[in-house]
Amino acid sequence: MKWDWGAVRDFLPRFWDGLLVTLQALVLGSLIAFVLGLVWALLMRTPTRWVRWPVGVVTEFIRDTPLLVQLFFLFYVLPEWGLAFSALTTGVVAIGLHYSTYTMQVYRAGIEAVPAGQWEAATALSLPMRRTWTAVILPQAIRRVVPALGNYVISMLKDTPMLMAITVLDMLGEARLFSQQHFQFTEPLTVIGVAFVLISYPASLLLRALERRLVR
């Protein structure tokens, strides 16, 4: 089959539109995952069992169900309860919520890796609990888990094509629509594949360099 550069040229405007949507979903979903994951992790460390137990059940349920099922639930079921959002907003929330249960585990591991002496020193200095967390524990914990959090950003990038299932025209959605309209599949899908590699691979190299720098 002959490669059609004209098809690539015609697809590029749609590709840029899809890339913008993909990056929006990635950035906003990552922010939700990082912030909410930290909230989950802190709640799981509270001494109150009636807080830890519901949080554990909810996060385990989210982590054990497929992202695609969660997308369908948020997009098709919530409107029946009067909660309707745009497709992109729904996708961002679903990705952020889903991955927050994984970043929670990363934060928990980072917090538990902080030496016990740091807790003891904060207690000896009579630091308030909030000050202990914000000035002593969390800066050390987050520094340890940055590379792991970065790996989840790459995973979220590779999961953004699932948003096509709820009508979001990300890169893959634009490629599929173009292919169906022009009956040309090879060129747009190849462009999408190359784009994911060009984004993911440099990000992986950056994470490796960051990890080496942080462990010094």
Side-chain angles (χ1 to χ4, degrees):
M1 180 178 294
K2 185 178 179 181
W3 181 265
D4 188 353
W5 287 106
V8 175
R9 184 183 62 252
D10 294 339
F11 172 64
L12 281 180
R14 293 191 177 186
F15 165 76
W16 295 120
D17 291 340
L19 177 62
L20 179 60
V21 172
T22 296
L23 294 178
Q24 285 179 331
L26 176 64
V27 172
L28 297 177
S30 297
L31 290 175
I32 294 174
F34 293 161
V35 174
L36 188 56
L38 181 58
V39 172
W40 294 137
L42 295 177
L43 290 176
M44 288 297 290
R45 292 188 62 88
T46 60
T48 306
R49 186 183 65 169
W50 297 110
V51 174
R52 295 197 313 270
W53 185 82
V55 170
V57 171
V58 170
T59 54
E60 189 67 28
F61 177 81
I62 294 173
R63 187 165 55 249
D64 292 343
T65 53
L67 174 58
L68 188 59
V69 173
Q70 295 166 15
L71 282 168
F72 283 154
F73 182 87
L74 294 177
F75 190 66
Y76 293 109
V77 177
L78 286 189
E80 297 182 2
W81 299 348
L83 297 173
F85 304 99
S86 68
L88 180 58
T89 300
T90 301
V92 166
V93 171
I95 288 178
L97 184 62
H98 183 79
Y99 275 93
S100 71
T101 61
Y102 292 96
T103 59
M104 175 192 75
Q105 300 296 342
V106 174
Y107 285 125
R108 288 181 65 183
I111 292 171
E112 292 172 0
V114 175
Q118 299 295 314
W119 294 94
E120 296 168 358
T123 302
L125 294 172
S126 300
L127 291 180
M129 185 56 65
R130 178 178 298 181
R131 181 69 174 169
T132 299
W133 277 105
T134 58
V136 180
I137 305 302
L138 287 180
Q140 296 183 62
I142 292 177
R143 181 175 180 271
R144 297 169 185 268
V145 302
V146 166
L149 294 177
N151 289 331
Y152 281 116
V153 173
I154 296 175
S155 295
M156 281 185 269
L157 171 65
K158 292 187 290 186
D159 275 348
T160 53
M162 288 192 184
L163 302 187
M164 184 179 62
I166 57 171
T167 72
V168 175
L169 290 178
D170 66 328
M171 287 193 295
L172 183 58
E174 291 285 4
R176 182 184 180 187
L177 184 61
F178 179 89
S179 299
Q180 292 174 339
Q181 293 175 341
H182 298 272
F183 301 101
Q184 292 174 306
F185 295 88
T186 302
E187 292 81 7
L189 292 177
T190 302
V191 169
I192 296 304
V194 172
F196 273 107
V197 172
L198 292 178
I199 297 173
S200 298
Y201 186 65
S204 299
L205 296 178
L206 178 62
L207 287 173
R208 293 174 191 171
L210 181 61
E211 185 173 9
R212 288 193 296 269
R213 183 177 181 85
L214 291 176
V215 297
R216 289 178 181 175

